[in-house]
Amino acid sequence: MRPLEGITVLDFTQAYSGPYCAMNLADYGARVIKVERVDGGDQSRFWHPYAPNGNSGYFAIYNRNKEGIAVDLSAPEGKEVIKKLYSQVDVVLENFKYGTLDKLGVGYEEMKKVNPEIIFASITGFGQTGPLRTNTAYDNVIECMCGFMEMTGFPEDMPLRSGASVGDSYTGLTMALAIVLACYDKRRTGKGRRLDVAMLDTMFATIEDAVLAYALTGKQISRTGNAKPKEIVPYDAYSCADGFFATGINDETMWPDFCKAIGMPELEDDPRYATNDLRCENFESFTELMKSVLSEKTQDEIFESFARFDIPAAPTLDPLDAMDHPQIVERDMAIEFDDANVGPLKTFGIPVKFSRTPGRIKKSSPKLGENTVEVLTEAGFSRKEIEKLAEAGVIGVQEE
């Protein structure tokens, strides 16, 4: 039995942050019933990259382990279907624009009448309160507004968004944690609640350097590339004979071994670099020295030498190289399975390793309306009622 078995989630989410949250819950055993539009489903079904059959790989990887139903929420009969499902689930998860479910008549206040103990979880760009609560947002908008983008990149260039959509994934994980906490507390108290997680809030909470620097010194800091020239030196990415690698030390006791690792033990007592404060003061000359010392060494040579002296270091790998790396492979983080929508698929595994009751992938992403009949039957609808709803276009069922 996996950790979240026995918890049922009605999942209204689409795009990335919400589906990623629900996927994590499903990976660890929650029953996740994904609700999609009858006409086309989740918007990410139309996001690149596409498999040869024309279906979205994006949708496939973030909707694994879920059941799928299709319901027209604008139809009165569709609202009644949802209200009936509300009485039978533990959690409702949504990432619609602020107030959307309320306008449809199936929001939290209505839901409490049906199921007072429900946990209603809302992911939005800006939250349920504040002057921007009705604004729409995607990851790049949030990264820009919270300061993350200003902190990313090199000082002489324009700010950069993260290479991966960390605003979406971090917000999804934050909400997954919130849901687990709420479920745990509900077991003790029997009470449900509203959960409000905003992308802006979660991403602002990651800007530790800038906030700390201003709070303690009154000074504003901006992007510094791969380095932390005012805080820790060395802590940077350097070029070498066959690419780049990253390294850093965060304790002065590591400095002598760093010097040995680069083949310059005499550098330990150099008056320009003997302490971290001195290395910060002389950051430019230190960086130039590292370039000259490391430019003739290969990534393998550097990695072997740094590992011997227990200095953190790694070559910069592209995602495909990372996927094939023995460490990733050994920990089942690059996996293959056959997805119902796109066919054979190689993707990421499950990061949290339990010594028992581990998470697992038991089901691929759902076809549109794949489980509508099954879920509505469980909810008490008769076969005739289901057929009538399908004929009226209120629900969608998977075509044979």
Side-chain angles (χ1 to χ4, degrees):
M1 186 172 180
R2 290 176 294 164
L4 297 181
E5 284 189 31
I7 294 172
T8 301
V9 180
L10 195 62
D11 172 22
F12 288 99
T13 66
Q14 56 184 332
Y16 186 173
S17 61
Y20 187 71
C21 172
M23 180 203 74
N24 276 277
L25 299 173
D27 283 352
Y28 296 105
R31 182 187 185 188
V32 175
I33 303 170
K34 184 178 180 69
V35 184
E36 298 185 74
R37 302 189 310 269
V38 173
D39 57 339
D42 184 338
Q43 62 180 266
S44 70
R45 285 187 181 271
F46 304 95
W47 287 8
H48 291 277
Y50 294 140
N53 65 4
N55 289 335
S56 169
Y58 198 103
F59 176 85
I61 64 171
Y62 294 118
N63 290 283
R64 68 193 188 195
N65 280 336
K66 303 177 187 179
E67 299 169 44
I69 66 174
V71 181
D72 181 359
L73 296 178
S74 66
E77 300 90 341
K79 302 183 203 301
E80 292 306 311
V81 168
I82 294 303
K83 287 180 180 180
K84 197 160 188 176
L85 293 177
Y86 278 168
S87 67
Q88 303 182 20
V89 302
D90 303 288
V91 178
V92 169
L93 174 64
E94 59 100 4
N95 67 339
F96 289 118
K97 188 176 178 180
Y98 169 84
T100 297
L101 288 183
D102 293 327
K103 292 176 184 176
L104 289 169
V106 289
Y108 180 52
E109 294 304 319
E110 285 298 312
M111 186 173 58
K112 283 196 302 183
K113 299 174 186 177
V114 177
N115 185 348
E117 298 178 0
I118 201 73
I119 295 167
F120 188 93
S122 295
I123 294 174
T124 54
F126 300 99
Q128 300 297 308
T129 58
L132 299 182
R133 64 187 181 277
T134 61
N135 286 31
T136 303
Y138 280 115
D139 180 270
N140 62 333
V141 172
I142 296 301
E143 287 192 32
C144 189
M145 186 169 179
C146 74
F148 191 94
M149 192 178 289
E150 166 60 27
M151 294 292 295
T152 306
F154 289 87
E156 65 274 13
D157 296 320
M158 68 180 296
L160 296 175
R161 69 174 289 271
S162 60
S165 298
V166 295
D168 281 308
S169 56
Y170 186 51
T171 302
L173 287 173
T174 300
M175 179 57 92
L177 172 62
I179 289 170
V180 171
L181 292 173
C183 288
Y184 176 78
D185 191 61
K186 180 181 172 181
R187 290 183 64 181
R188 297 188 304 167
T189 66
K191 295 181 179 180
R193 70 211 61 214
R194 179 77 181 267
L195 303 179
D196 171 13
V197 173
M199 292 176 69
L200 183 64
D201 296 349
T202 54
M203 285 303 289
F204 181 72
T206 70
I207 314 299
E208 84 287 6
D209 288 351
V211 173
L212 278 172
Y214 183 77
L216 297 177
T217 69
K219 296 179 180 179
Q220 182 174 335
I221 62 173
S222 184
R223 55 194 175 280
T224 55
N226 295 309
K228 292 190 173 186
K230 297 180 181 179
E231 303 158 75
I232 306 171
V233 178
Y235 186 100
D236 208 341
Y238 301 101
S239 60
C240 58
D242 56 352
F244 299 88
F245 78 99
T247 186
I249 63 174
N250 63 358
D251 189 310
E252 202 61 39
T253 60
M254 301 170 73
W255 172 241
D257 284 335
F258 177 88
C259 296
K260 295 170 187 172
I262 63 173
M264 296 186 67
E266 69 278 8
L267 203 63
E268 177 184 347
D269 298 317
D270 189 301
R272 297 168 298 172
Y273 311 125
T275 67
N276 186 62
D277 287 344
L278 287 170
R279 294 191 294 276
C280 289
E281 291 176 16
N282 295 288
F283 171 75
E284 299 295 339
S285 65
F286 181 83
T287 301
E288 289 302 314
L289 176 62
M290 290 300 100
K291 287 180 181 178
S292 65
V293 171
L294 300 171
S295 62
E296 300 300 319
K297 300 180 185 292
T298 66
Q299 289 180 333
D300 288 345
E301 290 171 340
I302 293 169
F303 185 73
E304 180 182 345
S305 178
F306 277 50
R308 189 164 63 252
F309 289 98
D310 201 23
I311 301 297
T316 55
L317 303 179
D318 65 40
L320 295 182
D321 288 336
M323 184 176 287
D324 292 331
H325 193 281
Q327 183 68 22
I328 295 289
V329 173
E330 173 69 21
R331 292 187 54 80
D332 295 322
M333 285 309 299
I335 60 172
E336 295 185 27
F337 69 95
D338 194 27
D339 182 81
N341 285 289
V342 300
L345 180 67
K346 192 167 186 178
T347 184
F348 55 86
I350 299 176
V352 179
K353 315 299 183 185
F354 285 75
S355 61
R356 61 182 189 83
T357 67
R360 64 187 176 93
I361 299 173
K362 65 174 185 176
K363 182 184 181 301
S364 75
S365 63
K367 292 279 194 176
L368 182 59
E370 177 181 324
N371 306 103
T372 302
V373 173
E374 172 191 344
V375 171
L376 267 60
T377 300
E378 289 181 11
F381 289 87
S382 69
R383 185 171 189 85
K384 181 175 285 190
E385 287 173 319
I386 293 172
E387 289 175 353
K388 185 177 180 180
L389 289 168
E391 289 172 2
V394 175
I395 62 173
V397 299
Q398 181 185 349
E399 296 180 2
E400 297 295 335

